[in-house]
Amino acid sequence: MASVRGYLHPKTATGSSSLIPAPPWKYSGDLLTVEYRTDPARVRELLPEPLEPADEDPGAVALIWADWQSCSSGQDELLDPVLSQYKEAFAVVRCSYQGQTYSRCVYIWVDKDFAIARGLHQGYPKKLGSIHQTRPHPYGPAPRIEAGARFGATLAAADRRLAQAVVTLREPSQTNGFVNGHPMAHHRWLPSIEGKGLALDELIETGAASFEAGQPWVGDAELELFEAPTEELARLEIREPIAAYYRQVGVVWDGGRLLESGTSGASAR
């Protein structure tokens, strides 16, 4: 009997066509983070059972732009950059589960298919988008990592701009913000093929297996969100700015932990 291989579709005789390789997955990236406060009710409406709003600052949001290079354990993708480089922008809120505070990604856009596939496995609600951010460089007109440096960032999807930001660095920081500073509480969902509920319904905890990072910088941001026919990011309206941050990071992801199964009450329609 023939066997097929591959971590995800398409599975073939060799497995080399699989959209993504098996974990661990390794990442190097430049992150621009803009934190602000929105109406806590708008955060609450994005939290399925059994998640609850965070006890403190329940309306806090982080909108993050990331310019990534990623690879599997063999790191071969780094020498074929089309397979390693991608960009993403994502909105993170905080929530509570059994008395513990978690971060949760509620919206995310990426520009490569392999990033979407990894997100489906991890519980990230990834969609295709167009993401751009200013890259630092020690020479020429690009900004250095120093006080007064300015970085732009844009996000669009389906030909509509969803967000834009200009971040001005002020000084080194002790943190890279607080909204995205917890383990992630995500759901892995898959509708039943018979149209009756969910075939996969898991609440999971996930985070970095290892993490290293450079000096974070804090600054100020000019952030705008825009309405779009098929996107709802603008519902997380900006009520009060908190701060903006820049940091270079290195992350390894190697799986998560099941918290609950079949209890979210989410609809498949």
Side-chain angles (χ1 to χ4, degrees):
M1 180 180 293
S3 62
V4 291
R5 297 177 175 83
Y7 190 71
L8 200 66
H9 306 303
K11 290 181 178 289
T12 63
T14 67
S16 60
S17 295
S18 179
L19 189 52
I20 52 174
W25 301 325
K26 302 180 179 183
Y27 304 80
S28 300
D30 290 60
L31 273 59
L32 280 174
T33 300
V34 181
E35 293 186 338
Y36 67 94
R37 293 183 176 92
T38 190
D39 180 353
R42 294 292 174 86
V43 174
R44 180 67 185 89
E45 69 185 19
L46 294 171
L47 302 178
E49 296 179 355
L51 302 179
E52 298 289 341
D55 293 334
E56 296 182 8
D57 218 344
V61 179
L63 188 56
I64 304 167
W65 278 265
D67 189 354
W68 292 115
Q69 296 184 80
S70 66
C71 62
S72 56
S73 56
Q75 303 186 28
D76 294 336
E77 297 92 339
L78 297 176
L79 300 182
D80 192 357
V82 71
L83 300 178
S84 67
Q85 295 178 1
Y86 74 101
K87 296 184 289 293
E88 68 185 4
F90 53 109
V92 175
V93 301
R94 296 182 307 146
C95 60
S96 177
Y97 172 74
Q98 295 187 350
Q100 180 174 342
T101 300
Y102 286 88
S103 300
R104 181 177 176 87
C105 177
V106 291
Y107 299 116
I108 180 168
W109 294 265
V110 300
D111 61 1
K112 290 289 182 67
D113 57 358
F114 62 79
I116 287 182
R118 286 195 303 223
L120 291 174
H121 178 65
Q122 297 167 310
Y124 282 87
K126 294 189 176 184
K127 301 175 70 173
L128 278 178
S130 176
I131 302 101
H132 298 278
Q133 64 191 80
T134 306
R135 292 170 174 163
H137 199 279
Y139 304 106
R144 282 69 164 164
I145 308 304
E146 61 187 11
R150 304 181 79 217
F151 295 81
T154 62
L155 163 65
D159 291 336
R160 275 86 169 186
R161 180 160 291 193
L162 305 181
Q164 62 188 31
V166 174
V167 173
T168 303
L169 302 186
R170 187 169 63 245
E171 60 191 1
S173 171
Q174 294 298 313
T175 73
N176 197 45
F178 67 96
V179 179
N180 195 38
H182 309 276
M184 308 298 292
H186 284 163
H187 279 86
R188 285 160 37 95
W189 284 320
L190 183 66
S192 166
I193 198 66
E194 296 180 341
K196 300 175 182 178
L198 297 171
L200 175 66
D201 184 4
E202 294 181 340
L203 174 62
I204 63 165
E205 175 187 308
T206 184
S210 66
F211 177 83
E212 58 182 336
Q215 171 66 55
W217 280 72
V218 65
D220 304 296
E222 305 165 31
L223 175 65
E224 295 179 86
L225 307 179
F226 305 100
E227 299 281 352
T230 59
E231 305 293 349
E232 300 180 66
L233 177 63
R235 285 185 62 81
L236 296 174
E237 60 189 17
I238 304 163
R239 287 197 168 181
E240 179 187 1
I242 298 176
Y245 302 89
Y246 170 86
R247 197 178 199 185
Q248 293 180 314
V249 302
V251 181
V252 176
W253 188 91
D254 196 15
R257 180 171 71 93
L258 179 65
L259 298 177
E260 289 190 19
S261 181
T263 60
S264 71
S267 171
R269 297 184 182 276

